[in-house]
Amino acid sequence: MSAHQYDHGHTVAGWVGCGIGTVGAGVAGLGVCTVSGVLIAGGVAIGLVGLLVTWALHLAGWGKGPGVRPRAEWGWRVRDSAAAGGHAECLGCRLAGRGRRAAGAVQPVMPVHRAGEPETVAAVGADSGR
């Protein structure tokens, strides 16, 4: 059984972006403490690099769009199968020219897991080996 009953959205793009952003915030904070404009600018630049890296990873399929992913893709090491076509409600995909859907396009609906029902689909690569 998976450790989580819903999609947290943890992805490679999210973890890498958070790590780079944390380093950028640390450098900018050190710049504030030492009154160094160079360190502040460097921290902001690292943050911008983190934003671009996260966007590139998302477009490469290592992120996720808004909403719940299919249950088989809940593991954070699993690539997003819908990334090539873009996500309908995703700003990052729209900025890259992806995710534009025709008017009236039907979006798939994920079934709700009810309490007491056994999980029938194991998440591929999920973090359930704890």
Side-chain angles (χ1 to χ4, degrees):
M1 179 188 281
S2 175
H4 310 292
Q5 299 300 316
Y6 54 92
D7 180 20
H8 277 290
H10 298 209
T11 62
V12 172
W15 285 105
V16 169
C18 184
I20 295 173
T22 300
V23 170
V27 170
L30 181 64
V32 168
C33 291
T34 60
V35 191
S36 171
V38 174
L39 284 177
I40 295 172
V44 170
I46 291 170
L48 290 175
V49 167
L51 178 70
L52 294 175
V53 167
T54 303
W55 185 32
L57 285 171
H58 172 78
L59 294 176
W62 290 109
K64 81 175 226 46
V68 179
R69 295 179 286 185
R71 193 169 189 96
E73 296 181 5
W74 282 12
W76 72 277
R77 294 179 203 95
V78 179
R79 290 183 80 160
D80 182 11
S81 61
H87 305 103
E89 299 292 322
C90 178
L91 175 63
C93 289
R94 283 188 306 213
L95 289 174
R98 299 181 184 177
R100 302 197 190 278
R101 303 279 192 249
V106 177
Q107 294 293 332
V109 177
M110 297 301 297
V112 175
H113 177 74
R114 293 184 185 93
E117 286 184 354
E119 289 190 45
T120 57
V121 179
V124 178
D127 298 333
S128 60
R130 294 179 189 207

